Amino acid sequence: MQTEDEKLNQNSFIFVLAPKGSFMSKNLHFIFNPSELGAGTRGASLGPEAIRAAARTKGSTIFAQYPIQVVDQHNDLLDHKSPYTFAKNIDGLGKVFASLEQNITSCLQAGAFPLLISGDHSAAAGTLSALKNNFPNKRIGVVWIDAHADIHSPYTTPSGNLHGMPIAAALGLDHHHLAKNQLDDATRAHWDQLKSTAFLPQDLVYIGVRDTEAEEDAVMAELGLKNYTVAELRDRGLAACLQAISEQLQACDVIYISFDVDSIDPLETSYGTGTPVPNGITFAEAQEILTYFAKAPQTCAIEMVEINPCLDDEKNKMAEKALDLIEHIISHLS
Ligand SMILES: [Mn+2]
C-alpha cells in the first residue's frame, strides 16, 4: 500500500515529466520468454517459473491478476553442439525473436504494458527490435541495469555467448575494427538477420556496469556511452543520478528498462545468476531505480533477466528477490 505522501510524489513526478504519450496502466501483461539460448551456463530458462514458484510460496496472487503470454522456446538446440562458434545457437534465437515480436505486438495492441520475465539477456535484442517495429516513429531510450555492458559482437566475443551481445545487435553494430574472430558465411547471415537499429547510442544509459572486456571498453569510449558506476551512484546520490538520466533521455518518446539481476551485489541476493560479479548495487538501490522508472510515463516496457535457480546457493532466493522487485514495479506503474 502506498502512503498519501507517496501518491503525491508519484503524481507530482508525472506532472514534472510531462508525458509524451502514456503507455502505462495497471493493464499489464506478463511476457515470459524462457529462452536460455544465449547463456553460457544452463538453467536461466527456469527463471520465470522460479519466480512463479516464489510467488506461490509467498501466497502472492500477482500471476493470477494479469495475463501471462509465453514466448516460443527453442532450448532443445542446447542438447546439440552449436555449429556457430562465435554466436552459439543463433539459429534458434531468430525463431525466439519472431515469437517474442508477436507477443509484444499483441500485448501493445491490447493496450497493455509488457512486463517481460526472460531467461538470458540476449532476449533484450529481440525486445528492442520488436519495440522499434511497434513504434517506428518514436525515439527509444534504453536504461540498461547490469554488471555487464553486453556490447560484444560475434566478431569480438571471447565466449560466443549471445547474452553478451544484445546491445550491439540492437544498435546494428559489428565492431569490425576490433575483430578477433573470423565468421563463416552462415554465422554472418544469421547475425545480420538478428541486428536492428532500434535506438541511438546517445539514448543508452548503463547503470552498474563493472565487468567488461577491452573491446567493450573501446566501443563504449568510442560511442561516448554513459555508465553510472556503483561509486558514482553513491558519490552523487541515486536521486541526482536518476534525475540526470531523465534529462539525458528527455528527447526520447519511450523508454525501455532492461534489468539484469547480476547488477545487484550477490551478497544482497544470492549467486543464482549466470555471471555474478561482486561490488554491485544494493537491493534497495535496485528497488529505487525500478520504482523511479515504473512511475515514469515514458517507460514502455520493463524486462527482468538472468535469474538462474540451478545456480542458486540459497534455495530460491534470487527468484524471491526478483519477485519482490516485480511487485514493486507493478505497485508503482501509473
Ligand atoms: Mn546482461
Side-chain angles (χ1 to χ4, degrees):
M1 283 297 288
Q2 290 180 306
T3 64
E4 285 305 313
D5 268 351
E6 280 168 346
K7 280 181 191 160
L8 209 65
N9 273 340
Q10 185 172 337
N11 289 339
S12 59
F13 180 91
I14 288 166
F15 178 73
V16 168
L17 270 180
K20 292 194 172 103
S22 185
F23 299 94
M24 308 286 290
S25 73
K26 290 281 182 182
N27 180 13
L28 78 91
H29 288 189
F30 287 109
I31 299 180
F32 285 5
N33 178 6
S35 172
E36 61 167 79
L37 291 175
T41 47
R42 304 281 60 89
S45 61
L46 305 173
E49 286 301 325
I51 293 172
R52 213 172 178 185
R56 289 169 182 159
T57 301
K58 188 182 172 185
S60 163
T61 57
I62 57 162
F63 291 113
Q65 290 172 34
Y66 306 102
I68 300 173
Q69 300 179 223
V70 182
V71 175
D72 294 345
Q73 52 97 359
H74 295 273
N75 293 319
D76 55 338
L77 279 174
L78 296 165
D79 301 321
H80 309 263
K81 183 174 163 43
S82 175
Y84 307 100
T85 312
F86 301 118
K88 290 173 191 160
N89 312 302
I90 194 168
D91 45 343
L93 203 59
K95 295 177 190 167
V96 170
F97 284 8
S99 172
L100 175 57
E101 173 150 358
Q102 284 177 359
N103 277 283
I104 287 176
T105 300
S106 66
C107 173
L108 293 172
Q109 283 177 353
F113 179 88
L115 208 175
L116 297 116
I117 305 176
S118 303
D120 77 73
H121 216 166
S122 64
T127 303
L128 274 162
S129 161
L131 289 173
K132 187 62 191 176
N133 288 339
N134 274 280
F135 306 129
N137 301 315
K138 291 194 191 294
R139 188 163 159 184
I140 301 178
V142 176
V143 180
W144 197 270
I145 307 144
D146 199 330
H148 307 94
D150 292 354
I151 197 165
H152 271 295
S153 79
Y155 299 93
T156 63
T157 174
S159 68
N161 298 325
L162 282 156
H163 70 168
M165 312 184 206
I167 294 279
L171 286 171
L173 297 175
D174 293 322
H175 320 320
H176 283 303
H177 60 301
L178 298 164
K180 293 192 311 190
N181 308 322
Q182 282 273 47
L183 303 200
D184 58 33
D185 291 346
T187 305
R188 192 181 310 114
H190 277 299
W191 173 247
D192 287 344
Q193 191 86 47
L194 215 63
K195 281 189 296 182
S196 62
T197 45
F199 66 107
L200 303 167
Q202 62 264 39
D203 296 333
L204 170 64
V205 178
Y206 284 121
I207 299 179
V209 172
R210 58 191 182 280
D211 184 15
T212 53
E213 272 102 32
E215 297 80 10
E216 293 185 295
D217 294 337
V219 172
M220 288 168 72
E222 284 166 21
L223 297 176
L225 301 182
K226 175 64 184 167
N227 174 30
Y228 286 86
T229 62
V230 178
E232 183 170 356
L233 296 179
R234 308 267 161 83
D235 290 348
R236 286 176 68 181
L238 188 49
C241 292
L242 291 170
Q243 181 64 37
I245 292 169
S246 285
E247 282 163 19
Q248 182 184 334
L249 300 181
Q250 214 159 25
C252 296
D253 304 299
V254 293
I255 298 175
Y256 158 70
I257 310 299
S258 217
F259 188 86
D260 190 324
V261 294
D262 70 25
S263 59
I264 306 174
D265 195 297
L267 296 177
E268 299 237 343
T269 49
S270 73
Y271 285 83
T273 189
T275 46
V277 184
N279 303 316
I281 62 173
T282 65
F283 183 77
E285 286 165 340
Q287 227 172 34
E288 192 175 335
I289 293 164
L290 289 170
T291 298
Y292 182 88
F293 290 109
K295 288 177 183 174
Q298 291 93 336
T299 301
C300 67
I302 299 178
E303 183 156 23
M304 186 157 302
V305 303
E306 298 282 359
I307 296 102
N308 187 332
C310 293
L311 300 173
D312 206 317
D313 56 324
E314 297 181 68
K315 295 185 178 175
N316 201 26
K317 189 172 176 191
M318 185 64 89
E320 291 163 6
K321 291 292 185 180
L323 172 67
D324 189 319
L325 294 173
I326 288 164
E327 289 177 329
H328 261 81
I329 291 166
I330 293 173
S331 71
H332 288 94
L333 284 175
S334 48

